[in-house]
């Protein structure tokens, strides 16, 4: 499967990248993983947004879902949308509060929201407890540790497995999520520092420990905050997991 990084800047967009978002392609099916600030622009470089088969949201922090507001405008007001009403409704696997939260993101007041619950353009489903199939992809969701309900996704296709952490602190679920994965696409928001808050994000070292514990084959580091030196994150990760790499926005990786 093909992984294209739409954005990899941690917590906010940065000077060189939008916030978090990834395009996954296999056998002509396209999944978008997270749609943070600015990622809808990059997505249009690589795919027609109407040709995306599903959107998976790890959680509802703006750096992972802010461009859903923009996508709503595109899907609702594009002058030449798909005629088929089923095609017009994009499946969105997202935390249970997503329909209400994303409607409020689109139209803040209840009066403006009347009649705009987004069900004309999205079909919301909670993160699945059992594996679900989207074209050739098998998707499993794992709850991880963050300040709000957050899921990581384990996605298999064409005999390969990609594990994506979303935002997470160190937790046992990471090992299940990434067990034997071909690629662990892991957040690594910062390099270790003494006052780092617990249960919020991973350092480069912690991402590498998770990859090592899970027996992942490759570690791709993402979500480095723009005020953090990426090289320091990479160096501490490589002490534990020699082949770790920092992803770049606009680059495509083969899983
Ligand atoms: Zn984030
Ligand atoms: Zn977050």
């Amino acid at each position: 499967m093909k992984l294209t990084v739409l954005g990899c800047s941690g917590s906010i967009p940065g000077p060189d990248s939008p916030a978090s978002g990834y395009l996954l392609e296999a056998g002509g099916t396209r999944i978008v993983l997270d749609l943070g600030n600015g990622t809808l622009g990059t997505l249009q470089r690589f795919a027609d947004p109407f040709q995306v088969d599903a959107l998976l949201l790890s959680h509802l922090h703006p750096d992972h879902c802010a461009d859903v507001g923009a996508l709503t405008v595109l899907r609702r007001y594009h002058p030449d949308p798909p005629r088929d009403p089923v095609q017009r409704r994009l499946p969105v696997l997202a935390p249970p509060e997503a329909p209400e939260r994303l409607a409020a993101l689109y139209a803040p007041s209840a009066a403006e929201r009347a009649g705009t619950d987004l069900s004309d353009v999205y079909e919301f489903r909670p993160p699945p407890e059992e594996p679900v199939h989207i074209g050739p992809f098998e998707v499993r969701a794992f709850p991880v540790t963050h300040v709000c309900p957050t899921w990581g996704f384990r996605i298999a296709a064409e005999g390969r497995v990609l594990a994506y952490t979303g935002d997470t602190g160190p937790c046992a679920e990471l090992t299940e999520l990434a067990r034997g994965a071909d690629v662990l696409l892991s957040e690594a928001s910062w390099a270790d520092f003494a006052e780092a808050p617990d249960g919020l994000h991973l350092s480069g070292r912690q991402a590498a420990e998770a990859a090592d514990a899970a027996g992942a084959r490759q570690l791709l580091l993402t979500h480095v905050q723009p005020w953090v030196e990426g090289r320091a994150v990479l160096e501490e990760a490589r002490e534990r997991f020699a082949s770790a790499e920092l992803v770049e926005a606009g680059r495509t990786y083969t899983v």
Side-chain angles (χ1 to χ4, degrees), residues 63-154:
D63 61 314
H64 297 259
C65 71
D67 270 16
V68 174
L71 184 63
T72 304
V73 174
L74 183 142
R75 293 190 77 89
R76 194 173 271 170
Y77 298 113
H78 192 284
D80 188 21
R83 307 257 147 126
D84 180 347
V86 175
Q87 271 182 19
R88 288 195 70 168
R89 294 182 79 224
L90 175 68
V92 180
L93 277 59
E97 67 271 33
E100 197 180 327
R101 287 274 309 279
L102 295 173
L105 170 73
Y106 178 74
S109 77
E112 280 178 285
R113 257 199 319 277
T116 63
D117 67 358
L118 309 185
S119 62
D120 56 325
V121 288
Y122 302 122
E123 184 204 334
F124 287 104
R125 305 171 192 170
E129 287 178 16
E130 299 295 323
V132 295
H133 292 88
I134 302 163
F137 293 104
E138 183 192 82
V139 176
R140 295 175 66 195
F142 291 75
V144 292
T145 298
H146 194 43
V147 286
C148 60
T150 302
W151 282 263
F153 293 105
R154 180 180 172 97

Side-chain angles (χ1 to χ4, degrees), residues 59 61 63-64 146 148 167 201 223:
H59 66 301
H61 279 155
D63 61 314
H64 297 259
H146 194 43
C148 60
D167 282 0
H201 289 300
H223 199 278

